[in-house]
C-alpha cells in the first residue's frame, strides 16, 4: 500500500513515520525545500522522543520518502492525508484553512485511479465537505472519496500514542473510503484498538469535543486548586477522591499554571467559533478559555505575592519554559504570560530548559539563558519550576540552597508550579514552599 502525507509538521511527520513502521510505503510532501532536505539527511526538525530512530529505520528500509514534488506522490497513492498547519486566524481566532484548501487544489489534478483523500489536521466541522468540493471543482474527473481521520497524539509521547491509541476515529461517506482506511489501520485492529466509523462531520466534531473536554478537566481542577488554597485543602487528595470514581477517571486532573501547546488553546477557540456560527454557543468552553488565561496571570501574581511584592532588583531562577516536558514547543506556554509580568516588576530572570531554549529565545529575548538548572539558581531569590521535566524532579536541594540568596526570615523561596516536590521535604530543608492548591 502506498500513501502520501501532505505537510511534514508534527502530525504529518509522526503519522508518516508511524505508518511506514506499519510496513506501508509513505511519501511525505512538504513545500519547505529546506525542511525536506534536512529530513532526507535524517535531521528531525522537531524534538520528539524516538522519532529520529523511526525515520532513520524506515528511510533506510526504503519505505519512507521526503519530497517537495507532489504530483508523482499523489499519482501513486491509494490514500492522501492532508496534515498541513491550521493556525489560528488573526483577529477572530477561527482556524485558518488556507493551507488545507491549497493542498486540495494541488492534489486534485493528479488523482488518477480511485483515491481516498483524508483530513488529518484538526479541522472545523464542515471542512471535509469543503475540501471535497474544491477537488471536484478543480478536477471533475477525479475518482476519489473524502474521509476524516483526526489525530489524538500528544507531543512528547506521540509515537506511543500513534502506535497504541485509545481509539481510531474514521469519518466517511462511502464504503470505499472505509475499506481503504480500515486496511491501513489493520495493524492496530490486530491489537484490538477500537475503530469508530462515523460520518465526516461527526469525526471532525469528535476531535474538538475531546480536546475541549480535556481542557475543561484541567481548568476544573485548577479552579478547585485555587479554592483549596483559600480553604486550606489539598488538591491532590481532592483529585484522587474524584478520580477514583470511574465515571470521572484520574487523568488530566493535575493542577498547574494552565494548559498550552499547539492544540488545546487553538481548538477550544475554534470550537467556540463554530458553535457561535451555528447559534449554539458552548459557554462552558468559553469560560474554560477565560479561566486558562486567568490561571497563567494568577501564577505570576502568586510569585509576586510570595516575594512580598519586592521584585525590583530581584533574581529569579526559572526551570522549564516549554508548555510541557519532552518537547521543544513553546506555543502558548504559560512562560510566555508569566515571565513578562515578572520582568515588568523589575525581576532578572535566569532560565534553563532542556530543549526549549532556542524557541524561547525567539519570544523572550531578554532572559538570561543558562546552561543548566544550577547555573540558573546562582544568587537567585527564588526558584520557580514552570515545566515538570524529569531532570527537575530530583534536584540537589543543598547545592541549590548554597547558591541562593535567603529571604529576610532565613528561608529560601521555592515556587513549584507543577507540584512535583513533596512540600514537607522542602520545608524541612529550609525552603518556603509554594505549590498550586496545596493548602
Ligand atoms: C493534546 C491532547 O492530549 C492530544 O490528544 C491532542 O491530539 C493534542 O493536544 P498535547 O498538547 O501534546 O496534546 O499535550 P497534553 O499532554 O495533552 O497537555 C496539554 C497541556 O495541558 C499542557 O500544557 C499540560 O501541561 C497541561 N496539563 C495536562 C495540565 O495542566 N494538567 C493535566 O492534568 C494534563
Amino acid at each position: 500500500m502506498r500513501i502520501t502525507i501532505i505537510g511534514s509538521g508534527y502530525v504529518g511527520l509522526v503519522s508518516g513515520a508511524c505508518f511506514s513502521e506499519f510496513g506501508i510505503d509513505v511519501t511525505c510532501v512538504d513545500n519547505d525545500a529546506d525542511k525536506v532536505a534536512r529530513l532526507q539527511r535524517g535531521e528531525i526538525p522537531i524534538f520528539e522522543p524516538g522519532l529520529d530512530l523511526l525515520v532513520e529505520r524506515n528511510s533506510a528500509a526504503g519505505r519512507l520518502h521526503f519530497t517537495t514534488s507532489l504530483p508523482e506522490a499523489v499519482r501513486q497513492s491509494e490514500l492522501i492525508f492532508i496534515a498541513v498547519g491550521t493556525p489560528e486566524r488573526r483577529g477572530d481566532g477561527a482556524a485558518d484553512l488556507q493551507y488545507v484548501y491549497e493542498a486540495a487544489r494541488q492534489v486534485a489534478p493528479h488523482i488518477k485511479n480511485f483515491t481516498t483523500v483524508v483530513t488529518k489536521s484538526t479541522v472545523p466541522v464542515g471542512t471535509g465537505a469543503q475540501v471535497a468540493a474544491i477537488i471536484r471543482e478543480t478536477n471533475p474527473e477525479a475518482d476519489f472519496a473524502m474521509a476524516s481521520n483526526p489525530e489524538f497524539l500528544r507531543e512528547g509521547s506521540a509515537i506511543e500514542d500513534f502506535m497504541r491509541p485509545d481509539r481510531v476515529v474514521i469519518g466517511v461517506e462511502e464504503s470505499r473510503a472505509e475499506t481503504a482506511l480500515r486496511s491501513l489501520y489493520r495493524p492496530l485492529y490486530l491489537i484490538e484498538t477500537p475503530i469508530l466509523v462515523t460520518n465526516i462531520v461527526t469525526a471532525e466534531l469528535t476531535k474538538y469535543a475531546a480536546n475541549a473536554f480535556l481542557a475543561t478537566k484541567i481548568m476544573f481542577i485548577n479552579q478547585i486548586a485555587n479554592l483549596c488554597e483559600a480553604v486550606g485543602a489539598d488538591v491532590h487528595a481532592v483529585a484522587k477522591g474524584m478520580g477514583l470514581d470511574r465515571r470521572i477517571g484520574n487523568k488530566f486532573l493535575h493542577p498547574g499554571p494552565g494548559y498550552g501547546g499547539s492544540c488545546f488553546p487553538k481548538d477550544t477557540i475554534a470550537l467556540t467559533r463554530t458553535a457561535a456560527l451555528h447559534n449554539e454557543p458552548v459557554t462552558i468552553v468559553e469560560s474554560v478559555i477565560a479561566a486558562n488565561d486567568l490561571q497563567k496571570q494568577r501564577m505570576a501574581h502568586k510569585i509576586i505575592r510570595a516575594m512580598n511584592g519586592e521584585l525590583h532588583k530581584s533574581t529569579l531562577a526559572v526551570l522549564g519554559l516549554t508548555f510541557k516536558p519532552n518537547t521543544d514547543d513553546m506555543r502558548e506556554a504559560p512562560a510566555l504570560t508569566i515571565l513578562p509580568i515578572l520582568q515588568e516588576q523589575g525581576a532578572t530572570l535566569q532560565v534553563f530548559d532542556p530543549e526549549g531554549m532556542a524557541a524561547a529565545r525567539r519570544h523572550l529575548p531578554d532572559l538570561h539563558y543558562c546552561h543548566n538548572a544550577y547555573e540558573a539558581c546562582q544568587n537567585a531569590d527564588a526558584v520557580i519550576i514552570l515545566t515538570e521535566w524529569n531532570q527537575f524532579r530530583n534536584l540537589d536541594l543543598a547545592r541549590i540552597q548554597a547558591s541562593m540568596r535567603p529571604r529576610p526570615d532565613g528561608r529560601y523561596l521555592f515556587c513549584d508550579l507543577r507540584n512535583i516536590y513533596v512540600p514537607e521535604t522542602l520545608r524541612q530543608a529550609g525552603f518556603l514552599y509554594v505549590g498550586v492548591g496545596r493548602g
Side-chain angles (χ1 to χ4, degrees):
M1 186 176 227
R2 283 191 173 188
I3 67 171
T4 290
I5 299 194
I6 303 173
S8 298
Y10 223 106
V11 169
L13 191 53
V14 171
S15 309
C18 290
F19 279 135
S20 67
E21 184 74 7
F22 288 171
I24 288 153
D25 193 286
V26 180
T27 303
C28 294
V29 181
D30 200 288
N31 55 13
D32 180 342
D34 188 47
K35 188 192 260 185
V36 169
R38 288 176 64 191
L39 285 163
Q40 284 169 338
R41 288 196 299 270
E43 289 171 33
I44 310 296
I46 49 171
F47 175 78
E48 180 61 41
L51 185 58
D52 48 354
L53 288 179
L54 217 58
V55 169
E56 189 189 316
R57 183 163 63 233
N58 289 290
S59 300
R63 281 191 298 263
L64 180 60
H65 323 272
F66 298 99
T67 178
T68 51
S69 164
L70 185 131
E72 199 188 321
V74 169
R75 269 197 295 273
Q76 295 178 346
S77 293
E78 287 171 55
L79 290 117
I80 315 277
F81 283 85
I82 299 179
V84 296
T86 55
E88 205 178 296
R89 196 163 62 194
R90 249 172 239 268
D92 65 358
D96 182 349
L97 296 172
Q98 60 167 315
Y99 304 107
V100 174
Y101 296 153
E102 184 51 33
R105 272 187 287 272
Q106 288 181 10
V107 163
H110 306 292
I111 294 178
K112 288 283 169 273
N113 305 314
F114 170 70
T115 307
T116 303
V117 179
V118 193
T119 53
K120 196 142 193 70
S121 314
T122 303
V123 290
V125 177
T127 305
Q130 275 296 109
V131 170
I134 290 173
I135 296 175
R136 240 177 268 121
E137 203 175 284
T138 316
N139 178 5
E141 308 291 303
D143 182 16
F144 77 102
M146 199 60 220
S148 159
N149 173 218
E151 188 44 65
F152 296 94
L153 51 84
R154 288 164 302 171
E155 292 184 21
S157 46
I159 292 166
E160 174 68 14
D161 286 352
F162 193 98
M163 296 293 193
R164 302 194 163 274
D166 289 344
R167 78 308 207 179
V168 170
V169 175
I170 290 174
V172 288
E173 311 289 336
E174 295 184 36
S175 63
R176 303 192 287 177
E178 180 182 341
T179 307
L181 278 155
R182 277 192 187 277
S183 132
L184 180 70
Y185 279 109
R186 200 183 343 258
L188 295 184
Y189 179 74
L190 295 176
I191 58 168
E192 294 182 4
T193 305
I195 296 192
L196 178 71
V197 180
T198 70
N199 64 16
I200 291 177
V201 283
T202 306
E204 289 169 340
L205 186 56
T206 304
K207 169 70 194 209
Y208 280 105
N211 271 359
F213 190 80
L214 291 170
T216 304
K217 230 179 152 183
I218 296 168
M219 289 324 295
F220 185 87
I221 203 65
N222 279 339
Q223 291 201 330
I224 295 296
N226 299 339
L227 183 57
C228 283
E229 287 176 11
V231 302
D234 172 6
V235 69
H236 290 292
V238 174
K240 190 160 188 191
M242 288 169 61
L244 284 168
D245 185 326
R246 275 193 295 256
R247 292 169 302 177
I248 298 174
N250 60 6
K251 302 267 168 64
F252 274 66
L253 287 179
H254 194 87
Y259 60 77
S262 63
C263 292
F264 288 167
K266 184 159 64 78
D267 295 351
T268 44
I269 292 176
L271 178 60
T272 60
R273 292 283 313 157
T274 301
L277 224 58
H278 291 85
N279 254 328
E280 288 295 346
V282 281
T283 52
I284 292 177
V285 182
E286 285 167 17
S287 57
V288 164
I289 295 166
N292 190 46
D293 290 341
L294 208 62
Q295 183 75 357
K296 294 176 182 177
Q297 291 167 31
R298 211 187 145 93
M299 293 297 119
H301 294 293
K302 179 194 267 293
I303 296 164
I304 294 169
R305 224 177 19 255
M307 292 283 294
N308 294 322
E310 292 166 11
L311 269 77
H312 187 59
K313 292 206 174 133
S314 69
T315 299
L316 307 179
V318 179
L319 307 185
L321 296 167
T322 49
F323 82 97
K324 66 176 210 172
N326 295 325
T327 175
D328 58 358
D329 201 336
M330 283 297 297
R331 281 177 284 181
E332 306 288 333
L336 298 175
T337 305
I338 298 170
L339 302 190
I341 299 178
L342 301 177
Q343 282 180 308
E344 263 166 41
Q345 300 273 320
T348 297
L349 304 180
Q350 299 181 166
V351 307
F352 172 69
D353 187 280
E355 296 293 338
M357 306 237 275
R361 267 201 179 91
R362 290 195 283 275
H363 301 277
L364 303 165
D366 299 333
L367 308 178
H368 294 266
Y369 289 89
C370 300
H371 294 98
N372 56 54
Y374 298 102
E375 190 187 323
C377 293
Q378 286 294 327
N379 295 318
D381 297 290
V383 174
I384 300 161
I385 305 259
L386 254 193
T387 316
E388 69 279 32
W389 286 90
N390 274 342
Q391 59 177 269
F392 301 149
R393 290 175 187 269
N394 244 322
L395 294 167
D396 181 342
L397 296 174
R399 184 173 165 197
I400 285 183
Q401 212 174 66
S403 69
M404 284 177 72
R405 291 199 289 234
R407 294 158 37 94
D409 64 6
R411 292 184 293 172
Y412 296 83
L413 181 58
F414 197 102
C415 298
D416 177 8
L417 302 187
R418 298 288 181 167
N419 289 359
I420 57 177
Y421 279 89
V422 180
E424 207 35 49
T425 313
L426 276 264
R427 277 183 207 124
Q428 279 169 7
F431 287 94
L432 170 63
Y433 179 86
V434 176
V436 183
R438 305 180 109 175

